[in-house]
Amino acid sequence: MNKIDTDFLATLVAHIVAVARAHGDKAPSERELAEHFAVSRGQVRESLSILESMQIIERRAKSGIYLNPETAGLDSMALFARAGVPLMPRQIFEAVELRKIHEIKAAELAAMRATGDNHARLRDILDQSAAQLAKGEGLHKLDGAFHLEIVRATQNEMFYKLCQSFYAAAEQRHAIYFGKPERNAKSHAEHLQIFDALIARDAILAQALMNSHLGGAQSYWTELLEEQKAANPLIRSGA
Amino acid sequence: MNKIDTDFLATLVAHIVAVARAHGDKAPSERELAEHFAVSRGQVRESLSILESMQIIERRAKSGIYLNPETAGLDSMALFARAGVPLMPRQIFEAVELRKIHEIKAAELAAMRATGDNHARLRDILDQSAAQLAKGEGLHKLDGAFHLEIVRATQNEMFYKLCQSFYAAAEQRHAIYFGKPERNAKSHAEHLQIFDALIARDAILAQALMNSHLGGAQSYWTELLEEQKAANPLIRSGA
DNA sequence: CGCCCTGAACTGGTCATACCAAAATATTGC
DNA sequence: GCAATATTTTGGTATGACCAGTTCAGGGCG
């Protein structure tokens, strides 16, 4: 466990959340954490600095460390996911809505601006997806790659970076979503359609296809949450 | 200069960028930085942890610290801005495009979902803007607040957080943009129109008004960059 | 002259210890 | 029971040390 790797950060967050359950609660002191994880206080402080910069915690001088999950920014989502903090339905719906906002527009722009490289990478991802699908394996990683590549094809680097951090936090969701095998095939088929529209540089069509692709995801989530409410430990009810 | 405050981080980044100009260049060693800023190595390490978590730098064990500005994520933008790293036209155009993607949709959703609280806060911001305008003061801070409040009115918390970090990085741009006095009055007038559309819950109109509001900004930036190219130290040419 | 090898200097990663002052808590005195 | 006081806890900071790869200058050899 060298350096401040993400795993340690996630473990730390998990422990802090386990101790201080509610917003504003006090977390263990630096010295306690150091002892608990058998590392030096310096290591703990470095990690806490990062968590504080993400606004996951607040460090009040001479007082203590306070959990701050509600004010935490976007970059913290990936960490919470790794730490095994349960997803809340509200977060899922918000994320899907955000994806629609981003990616419908991304599809439109990508149809107009995609380079040959973008097309090649998309084709490659789809080939891999087909192979995985044939082997009966889930393709939630490749799904993320496909959508992200479309954003990259907008040639807006900032847009790409934004969606990158967004997708980093989405793996937990994706894993749940692609848990049902039939989703994989359906998703892949829709990706192929979108790809064709991008190749044809048909912005209107690409946009429409992405809209229905994500719209499908939206309604599928609704079903999923209905039937798995309280059954799936990764999804916690409540707002 | 206690704790790891943002100012210190910005100063650190500024210094590192000053020494290691290009992507991949070596930054001063931890010990050098500690001496230069007259702080302990521990402090430097805490700061560097944060910078590394933002992917602004890369720390290679036993080798050194390497500047990494190109892979840096969104959350780093605010820091670069504070550090006085010049804006590049490309970044400005990308940011404006992103704003259009976000806020046109936000205006639509806000028209449908805004609460009384949202309306009240917007009205308050507009009142303050009018007052500032009457005093002849610039209102670039209030502009950000107005736009951010519209995003909040979508009731999508994740959306709000995303735009929050986005706006935190935009102050430098805003300050330049609102440097010209005539922008302030024009912007305020357009805000009032948008506000009316939100109150009337006219999603179509709100969307259209936001589109032209941001479209105006887009073309204004084009002018601004043309006439100030190389003249304004805050804007560096090159891609 | 050029190349390889070697050793010293440098570097990030880690730990232990100590001190400070403010905050939080326990204790005392009334 | 409450207010004043003493004690403990806590984050913030600094110093110094050790480890083991990395880097690089310098020496030796072909």
Side-chain angles (χ1 to χ4, degrees):
Chain A
M1 192 190 298
N2 57 338
K3 196 173 158 183
I4 308 292
D5 57 296
T6 317
D7 284 339
F8 181 63
L9 276 184
T11 317
L12 223 189
V13 170
H15 185 243
I16 290 179
V17 170
V19 172
R21 295 213 145 271
H23 179 80
D25 279 4
K26 210 167 177 177
S29 71
E30 296 181 351
R31 290 166 174 89
E32 282 180 271
L33 292 172
E35 193 181 9
H36 183 287
F37 290 104
V39 294
S40 71
R41 217 184 127 204
Q43 294 295 305
V44 171
R45 278 190 63 78
E46 279 191 49
S47 305
L48 293 177
S49 292
I50 297 175
L51 296 187
E52 190 183 31
S53 82
M54 293 182 181
Q55 301 195 50
I56 290 177
I57 58 166
E58 184 192 343
R59 294 197 284 185
R60 235 167 284 166
K62 283 70 184 280
S63 167
I65 300 161
Y66 299 85
L67 185 57
N68 225 350
E70 294 185 15
T71 44
L74 265 194
D75 34 339
S76 68
M77 282 172 43
L79 216 47
F80 279 122
R82 270 173 176 268
V85 175
L87 286 175
M88 294 185 295
R90 171 177 183 168
Q91 290 180 307
I92 293 177
F93 287 122
E94 290 188 352
V96 176
E97 180 167 279
L98 258 183
R99 282 192 61 184
K100 283 184 81 169
I101 294 173
H102 286 143
E103 299 191 28
I104 292 173
K105 194 68 187 179
E108 179 193 346
L109 295 175
M112 299 189 288
R113 301 178 187 167
T115 66
D117 279 357
N118 294 130
H119 287 157
R121 272 191 293 265
L122 283 169
R123 195 186 304 273
D124 189 51
I125 292 169
L126 288 174
D127 288 347
Q128 289 182 47
S129 300
Q132 290 255 20
L133 206 56
K135 285 193 289 182
E137 290 174 25
L139 37 76
H140 69 271
K141 290 246 180 198
L142 288 166
D143 177 85
F146 179 79
H147 284 271
L148 210 42
E149 184 61 35
I150 289 178
V151 177
R152 190 200 287 195
T154 65
Q155 315 302 324
N156 184 325
E157 209 179 308
M158 213 176 275
F159 194 7
Y160 180 62
K161 282 179 186 174
L162 184 136
C163 289
Q164 250 184 331
S165 33
F166 197 71
Y167 269 93
E171 275 197 35
Q172 193 185 0
R173 275 201 317 276
H174 272 63
I176 299 175
Y177 184 78
F178 286 102
K180 296 217 171 182
E182 67 265 28
R183 289 309 307 168
N184 292 286
K186 185 162 187 299
S187 176
H188 181 63
E190 290 172 357
H191 284 185
L192 286 173
Q193 285 186 302
I194 294 172
F195 177 67
D196 287 341
L198 293 182
I199 293 287
R201 298 211 175 277
D202 188 337
I204 307 290
L205 180 59
Q207 200 174 342
L209 288 172
M210 183 63 86
N211 187 19
S212 82
H213 181 51
L214 292 176
Q218 207 164 16
S219 41
Y220 185 68
W221 270 115
T222 310
E223 291 176 38
L224 205 63
L225 290 175
E226 279 302 320
E227 62 183 71
Q228 300 199 342
K229 191 182 288 180
N232 189 323
L234 278 178
I235 304 177
R236 182 165 61 184
S237 61
Chain B
M1 192 190 300
N2 57 337
K3 198 173 157 183
I4 308 293
D5 57 297
T6 316
D7 284 340
F8 181 64
L9 275 184
T11 318
L12 224 189
V13 170
H15 185 244
I16 291 179
V17 170
V19 173
R21 294 213 147 270
H23 179 78
D25 279 4
K26 210 167 177 177
S29 72
E30 295 182 351
R31 289 167 174 88
E32 281 180 275
L33 292 172
E35 194 182 9
H36 183 288
F37 290 104
V39 294
S40 71
R41 219 185 124 202
Q43 293 296 302
V44 171
R45 279 190 62 79
E46 279 191 50
S47 306
L48 292 178
S49 292
I50 297 175
L51 297 187
E52 190 183 32
S53 82
M54 293 182 181
Q55 300 196 48
I56 291 178
I57 58 166
E58 184 191 342
R59 295 198 282 185
R60 237 169 281 169
K62 284 70 186 285
S63 168
I65 299 160
Y66 299 85
L67 186 57
N68 225 352
E70 295 186 14
T71 44
L74 264 195
D75 36 339
S76 67
M77 283 172 41
L79 215 47
F80 279 123
R82 271 172 176 268
V85 176
L87 285 175
M88 294 185 294
R90 170 176 185 168
Q91 291 180 306
I92 294 177
F93 287 123
E94 290 188 352
V96 175
E97 181 168 277
L98 259 183
R99 284 192 59 184
K100 283 184 80 168
I101 293 173
H102 286 143
E103 299 191 29
I104 291 173
K105 193 71 187 176
E108 179 193 345
L109 296 175
M112 300 189 289
R113 302 179 186 166
T115 65
D117 279 358
N118 293 131
H119 287 157
R121 272 192 292 267
L122 283 169
R123 195 187 304 273
D124 189 51
I125 292 169
L126 288 174
D127 286 347
Q128 288 182 47
S129 299
Q132 290 255 20
L133 207 56
K135 285 193 291 183
E137 289 174 23
L139 36 78
H140 69 272
K141 291 247 180 197
L142 288 166
D143 176 86
F146 179 79
H147 284 271
L148 210 43
E149 184 60 36
I150 289 179
V151 177
R152 191 200 286 193
T154 65
Q155 316 300 325
N156 185 322
E157 208 179 307
M158 212 177 276
F159 194 8
Y160 180 61
K161 283 179 185 174
L162 184 136
C163 289
Q164 250 184 332
S165 34
F166 198 72
Y167 269 94
E171 275 196 35
Q172 192 185 1
R173 277 200 316 277
H174 271 63
I176 299 175
Y177 186 78
F178 286 103
K180 295 216 171 182
E182 66 266 28
R183 289 308 307 169
N184 292 286
K186 186 164 186 298
S187 176
H188 180 64
E190 291 172 357
H191 284 186
L192 286 174
Q193 285 186 302
I194 293 172
F195 177 68
D196 287 341
L198 293 182
I199 292 285
R201 298 212 175 278
D202 188 337
I204 307 289
L205 180 60
Q207 200 175 342
L209 288 172
M210 183 63 86
N211 186 17
S212 83
H213 181 50
L214 292 175
Q218 206 164 17
S219 42
Y220 185 67
W221 269 116
T222 310
E223 291 175 38
L224 204 64
L225 290 174
E226 279 302 320
E227 62 183 70
Q228 299 200 343
K229 192 181 289 182
N232 190 322
L234 277 178
I235 304 178
R236 180 164 65 182
S237 61

